[in-house]
């Protein structure tokens, strides 16, 4: 075994081997994989081997498509058979609600390059003869589903990596990982140690144990998972003989089942409600190629549904029941990326769907390690989406909930209860008493809306029980004044003699003068948006930043990566040591004046001013800004003062008809102002001019990070442009990721949705082509044509704008179409129906911004 390597990958399952292969293929050949036993030991060897392109997150779906397309390449390169069977599949709906969801999946496929087709139950039965069409209301055909040989795929990755120069060390158990003073890592094994610049934790079932070696507690938990294999079935033999093909895959969401052919019989797996964790606290190191004791009683309710939906199963015997552990993160998506505070330590774990996602995980991680960027939008997998609040107890509760709901519908207004409440603000009880209906952001309870007694959310794809009440909240804010809790924002303070210069380098804006604020985008080196903040100049106390709460760990990782080594800049993350309230509406100034002993008139306290003042007797920081787009203020304070300030505002606001309003009202009002949101409209896949952030990109100020790429984007003109639409909707509004159709003769298919990966391309020397040419056409919206109608873009978010009483959407379209407000030009597909839509360049509420500045 070598004593030094650039990268040590820990774990010889499909994910670790994929990471090793991708690193070697990208040119890093001084890499070694360490496996404590044989390759595939752990979860890989007993996996059912299914592969699917469909995922609730479009970015993960694109990654899964890349993974499936990769298998042919690694088989040819390695000479190792992967056993891939591209049978295709059907996704089945037993309820109208599920069929609505499937129609949304078909719509996403229109711009993701995934060929999907809605079909009838009878048409599904013609493709998959074992199902009873009377049990279903509809289905979707997917031609890219299939299954494979888990061991063959894993060994193909490993053999291909070896051919490219990588090394694999089996029966080499990692016993400790120690960081040296020079930043390198000592990976200590039972056969000696390897010193490495980078360490990748692809430990699978042992990812927690590997993480603990460096003081990291990863939010993953293994769950027992069962599937059965039947005896040979005459129906299977008859179909094979008749068609010369295998029986295709089927996913029966309402039955919580997946099925595929296995030799002469069928494989049926289930995500049962009565689930069971495995090794909750510590995974035994001596576990390997063992299986767990089957428990057919636990999966019996799902099997009963399966036997009813697929009657042929009633007449066959069960040959084997496989019960093995698989690891899950709380939301079911992988944990991938660099770990904040541990330079050179990376994770690639919690990859439950390893044969659908493993190739994309390997590609993203290798891109990130070699080029400093994953190469696409992988927020849904980024390990930074969790903080230290994701404790073992929280993880256990959420993983069990996620497992039991693996095939359940998650409605857009549905909030899942497990592991909550976890983090709350000091006024949680007061807001709950006022009818607050709670959501969660980065572990913190956030009020969504305020329900009258006896009214709660009714989960639906359509407008629901909150519609009328949210409209009332919006109307009160717009006509008088409202109060909201804003503690879910991430808050930072930047200090030190180098703070101003550092912020000037990090952000695209001009720095504000003392007592003033500004909006502050932040770019990566490639000129894509990596952050969107408000920045306040605190004078001698440094600088105050506020940004997206869910991105707190993500942004801290970026900030700390770029801090100067000499200690001249310090950044403090407040988390919930600083909480906030906001008042907004035309009466908000009158209300604030009653609570303070300083002049807050228009002239004394201007729009985008910052002041320290006592509010209701408590020391606070007050910003004159609000996301509602109306006159308003943000009030920040230590948690000890929040109850005092809240009650003072409520008491003083009675004469103005003050109401509490929640996140849903806030998001409705921001639509009326054409305001974007972080991680919907603004993401690391969009340039600042694509995102219509032009006025905050000060190219002339200095050489800030990403300036050269941003200047190029401006000079050449953005290919895409963020726009707002008014939609002729009925009882359902957009939710995000719907396709945008346009009636145009020109093919805009060369405009790519930067939403995932296409197949990698190589030059004549075998080196992968990087950059925009590498995935040309991979994510294009070319080819989806209906007469003169073409899919030209995608929705990022939207909903109902209550004050202007219009259904609205935001999304990206080719820049050439971005200012065309013609009626009849656009349609947006909602739940399988295309609705007329019109671009609205000016905000429908206060387009001049006069109300904010008054």
């Amino acid at each position: 075994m070598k004593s030094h390597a650039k990268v040590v990958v820990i774990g010889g399952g499909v994910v670790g081997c994929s990471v090793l292969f991708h690193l070697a293929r990208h040119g890093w050949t001084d890499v070694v994989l360490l496996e404590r036993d044989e390759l595939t030991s752990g979860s890989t060897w007993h996996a059912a081997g299914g592969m699917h392109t469909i995922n609730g997150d479009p970015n993960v779906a694109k990654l899964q498509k890349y993974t499936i397309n990769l298998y042919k390449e690694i088989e040819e390169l390695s000479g190792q058979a992967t056993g891939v069977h591209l049978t295709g599949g059907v996704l089945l709906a037993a309820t109208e609600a599920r069929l609505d969801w499937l129609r949304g999946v078909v719509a996403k496929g229109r711009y993701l390059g995934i060929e999907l087709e809605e079909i009838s139950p009878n048409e599904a039965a013609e493709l998959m003869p074992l199902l009873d069409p009377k049990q279903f209301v509809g289905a979707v055909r997917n031609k890219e589903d299939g299954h494979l040989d888990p061991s063959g795929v894993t060994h193909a990755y490993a053999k291909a990596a070896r051919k490219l120069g990588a090394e694999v060390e089996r029966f080499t158990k990692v016993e400790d990982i120690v960081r040296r003073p020079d930043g390198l890592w000592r990976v200590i094994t039972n056969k000696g140690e390897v010193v490495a610049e980078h360490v990748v934790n692809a430990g699978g079932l042992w990812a927690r144990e590997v993480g603990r070696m460096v003081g990291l507690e990863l939010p993953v938990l293994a769950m027992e998972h069962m599937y059965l294999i039947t005896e040979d079935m005459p129906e299977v033999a008859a179909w094979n003989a008749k068609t010369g093909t295998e029986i295709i895959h089927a996913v029966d969401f309402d039955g919580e089942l997946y099925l595929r052919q296995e030799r002469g019989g069928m494989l049926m797996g289930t995500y049962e409600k009565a689930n069971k964790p495995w090794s909750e606290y510590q995974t035994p190191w001596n576990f390997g190629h063992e299986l767990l004791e089957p428990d057919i009683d636990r999966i019996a309710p799902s099997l009963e549904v399966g036997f009813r939906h697929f009657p042929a199963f009633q007449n066959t015997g069960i040959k084997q029941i496989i019960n093995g552990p698989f690891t899950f993160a709380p939301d079911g998506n992988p944990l991938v990326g660099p770990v904040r505070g541990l330079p050179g330590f990376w994770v690639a774990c919690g990859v439950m769907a390893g044969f659908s996602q493993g190739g994309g995980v390997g590609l993203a991680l290798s891109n990130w390690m070699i080029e400093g960027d994953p190469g696409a939008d992988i927020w849904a997998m980024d390990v930074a989406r969790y903080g230290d609040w994701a404790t073992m107890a929280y993880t256990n509760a959420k993983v069990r909930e996620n497992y039991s709901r693996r095939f359940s519908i998650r409605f857009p207004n549905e909030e899942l209860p497990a592991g909550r409440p976890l983090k709350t603000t000091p006024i949680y009880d007061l807001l709950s008493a006022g009818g607050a209906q709670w959501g969660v952001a980065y572990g913190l309870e956030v009020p969504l809306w305020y329900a009258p007694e006896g009214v709660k959310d009714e989960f639906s794809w359509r407008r629901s029980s909150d519609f009328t009440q949210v409209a009332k909240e919006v109307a009160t804010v717009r006509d008088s004044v409202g109060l909201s809790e804003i503690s879910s924002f991430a808050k930072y303070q930047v200090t030190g003699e180098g703070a101003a210069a550092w912020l000037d380098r990090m952000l695209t804006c001009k720095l504000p003068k003392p007592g003033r604020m500004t909006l502050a985008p932040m770019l990566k080196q490639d000129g894509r948006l990596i952050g969107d903040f408000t920045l306040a100049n605190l004078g001698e106390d440094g600088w105050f930043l506020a940004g997206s709460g869910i991105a707190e760990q993500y942004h801290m990782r970026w900030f700390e990566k770029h801090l100067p080594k000499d200690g001249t800049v310090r950044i403090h993350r407040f988390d919930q040591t600083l909480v906030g309230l906001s008042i907004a509406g035309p009466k908000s100034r009158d209300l604030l004046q009653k609570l303070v002993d300083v002049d807050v008139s228009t002239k004394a306290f201007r729009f985008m001013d910052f002041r320290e003042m006592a509010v209701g007797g408590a020391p606070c920081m007050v910003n004159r800004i609000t996301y509602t787009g109306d006159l308003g203020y943000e009030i920040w304070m230590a948690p000890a003062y929040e109850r005092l300030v809240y009650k003072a505002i409520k008491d003083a606001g009675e004469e103005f008809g003050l109401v509490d309003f929640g996140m849903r009202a806030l998001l409705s009002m921001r639509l009326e102002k054409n305001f974007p949101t972080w991680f919907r409209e603004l993401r690391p896949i969009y340039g600042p001019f694509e995102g219509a952030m032009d006025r905050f990109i000060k190219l002339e100020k200095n050489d800030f990070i990403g300036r050269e790429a941003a200047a190029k984007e401006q000079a050449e003109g953005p290919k895409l442009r963020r726009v707002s639409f008014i939609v002729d909707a009925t009882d359902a509004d957009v939710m995000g990721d719907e396709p945008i159709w346009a009636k145009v003769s020109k093919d805009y298919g060369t405009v790519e949705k930067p939403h995932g990966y296409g197949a990698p391309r190589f030059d004549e020397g075998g080196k992968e082509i990087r950059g925009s040419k590498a995935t040309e056409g991979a994510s294009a919206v070319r080819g989806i044509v209906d007469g003169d109608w073409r899919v030209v873009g995608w929705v990022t978010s939207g909903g109902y704008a209550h004050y202007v009483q219009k259904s609205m959407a935001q999304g990206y379209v080719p820049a050439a179409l971005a200012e065309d407000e013609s009626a009849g030009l656009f349609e947006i597909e909602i739940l399988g129906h295309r609705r007329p839509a019109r671009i609205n360049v000016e905000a429908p509420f206060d387009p001049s911004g006069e109300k904010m500045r008054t």
Side-chain angles (χ1 to χ4, degrees), residues 255-257 268 270-273 299-307:
E256 301 166 340
L257 301 164
M268 176 187 285
T270 179
Y271 289 88
E272 71 280 6
K273 300 294 185 186
I299 62 174
S302 294
L303 297 184
E304 289 175 7
V305 176
F307 294 167

Side-chain angles (χ1 to χ4, degrees), residues 554-570:
Y554 174 84
H555 284 140
M556 282 298 294
R557 184 175 64 192
W558 181 261
F559 291 147
E560 291 173 350
K561 177 181 178 180
H562 292 88
L563 284 176
K565 306 295 184 186
D566 58 9
T568 55
V569 180
R570 297 174 295 279

Side-chain angles (χ1 to χ4, degrees), residues 311-641:
F313 280 80
Q314 299 174 18
N315 304 316
T316 190
I318 297 174
K319 181 164 63 176
Q320 186 179 12
I321 297 177
I322 305 294
N323 185 15
F326 289 86
T327 56
F328 294 76
D331 60 3
N333 281 336
L335 300 175
V336 179
V339 176
R340 178 189 162 217
L342 296 173
F345 191 86
W346 306 76
V347 295
C349 54
V351 189
M352 181 277 302
F355 295 98
S356 295
Q357 300 172 349
V361 168
L363 176 64
L365 197 67
S366 61
N367 283 345
W368 216 336
M369 296 174 73
I370 294 170
E371 299 196 0
D373 188 272
D377 184 353
I378 67 160
W379 168 252
M381 302 188 303
D382 195 326
V383 66
R385 70 188 188 276
Y386 292 107
D388 54 11
W389 48 270
T391 61
M392 187 179 293
Y394 170 87
T395 298
N396 187 309
K398 295 306 287 187
V399 167
R400 295 194 66 170
E401 177 184 64
N402 178 271
Y403 184 97
S404 71
R405 295 179 52 89
R406 176 77 179 158
F407 287 154
S408 299
I409 293 174
R410 173 74 183 272
F411 291 100
N413 62 333
E414 185 175 7
E415 298 295 326
L416 303 183
R420 297 172 52 201
L422 182 63
K423 293 196 295 182
T424 60
T425 66
I427 59 172
Y428 177 80
D429 60 326
L430 300 179
L431 300 183
S432 295
Q437 304 299 298
W438 296 95
V440 66
Y442 202 63
L444 179 71
E445 296 294 317
V446 177
L448 299 176
W449 64 290
Y450 290 84
E453 188 173 351
V455 178
K456 290 188 176 181
D457 264 327
E458 295 174 1
F459 305 141
S460 174
W461 299 115
R462 292 166 169 80
R463 296 169 190 165
S464 188
S465 51
D466 67 333
F467 189 82
T468 301
Q469 190 62 26
V470 171
K472 291 178 180 178
E473 293 175 20
V474 169
T476 304
V477 173
R478 290 290 192 225
D479 296 335
S480 182
V481 61
L483 169 63
S484 67
E485 229 279 359
I486 58 171
S487 299
S488 61
F489 282 100
K491 294 85 59 179
Y492 316 88
Q493 187 172 8
V494 182
T495 57
E497 60 188 83
W502 182 74
L503 287 167
D504 208 25
R505 167 76 174 152
M506 296 291 290
L507 305 173
T508 68
C509 61
K510 288 185 177 179
L511 300 188
K513 295 178 180 179
R516 294 288 290 163
M517 304 174 60
T518 189
L519 297 182
M522 184 167 67
L523 306 181
K524 301 184 295 173
Q525 284 88 349
D526 64 1
R528 303 290 181 176
L529 288 158
I530 199 172
D532 179 45
F533 305 91
T534 54
L535 172 68
N537 188 333
L538 308 182
E540 293 182 357
D541 294 326
W543 304 82
F544 176 74
L545 277 172
S548 169
I550 63 172
E552 185 176 273
Q553 191 88 339
Y554 174 84
H555 284 140
M556 282 298 294
R557 184 175 64 192
W558 181 261
F559 291 147
E560 291 173 350
K561 177 181 178 180
H562 292 88
L563 284 176
K565 306 295 184 186
D566 58 9
T568 55
V569 180
R570 297 174 295 279
I571 185 163
H572 172 69
R573 174 179 63 95
F574 285 105
D575 194 34
Q576 293 309 304
T577 62
L578 189 71
V579 295
L581 298 167
S582 175
I583 55 174
K587 297 295 185 182
S588 58
R589 177 185 290 111
D590 298 335
L591 172 55
L592 181 62
Q593 190 64 76
K594 292 182 64 175
L595 298 167
V596 300
D597 55 6
V598 297
D599 183 5
V600 293
S601 64
T602 302
K603 188 174 293 187
F605 197 18
R606 300 167 296 165
F607 178 61
M608 300 298 277
D609 268 359
F610 161 87
R611 296 285 187 276
E612 292 185 2
M613 61 182 75
V615 179
C620 297
M621 298 188 300
V622 182
N623 303 330
R624 196 187 142 182
I625 190 174
T626 174
Y627 194 46
T628 67
D630 215 322
L631 172 66
Y633 306 86
E634 294 177 349
I635 306 167
W636 302 101
M637 68 218 76
Y641 297 113

Side-chain angles (χ1 to χ4, degrees), residues 48-53 68 71 83-91 115 119 124 126-129 140-149 236 239-240 243-251 258-263 265-267:
M51 54 185 186
H52 310 274
T53 55
I68 292 171
Y71 289 136
V84 169
H85 298 248
L86 282 176
T87 62
V90 285
L91 310 175
E115 187 178 350
I119 58 176
E126 292 173 3
L127 296 169
M128 204 289 184
V140 164
R141 171 82 161 106
N142 182 6
K143 296 183 179 180
E144 297 186 64
D145 284 1
H147 61 273
L148 44 71
D149 171 20
V236 172
W239 178 264
N240 296 161
T243 67
T245 64
E246 290 183 79
I247 289 181
I248 65 173
H249 279 229
V251 177
Y258 60 89
L259 304 92
R260 69 167 176 85
Q261 184 173 336
E262 174 67 15
R263 299 184 184 274
M266 291 294 293
L267 180 152

Side-chain angles (χ1 to χ4, degrees), residues 636-651:
W636 302 101
M637 68 218 76
Y641 297 113
E642 190 179 28
R643 293 178 74 89
L644 171 67
V645 175
Y646 176 77
K647 289 181 176 180
I649 293 173
K650 292 285 283 186
D651 290 344

Side-chain angles (χ1 to χ4, degrees), residues 205 208 221-224 276-280 283-284 287 292 325:
L205 292 175
R208 288 179 307 182
L221 176 70
M223 300 292 292
E224 294 191 12
K276 184 179 179 181
W278 178 77
S279 285
E280 294 183 57
T283 304
F287 184 81
L292 307 177

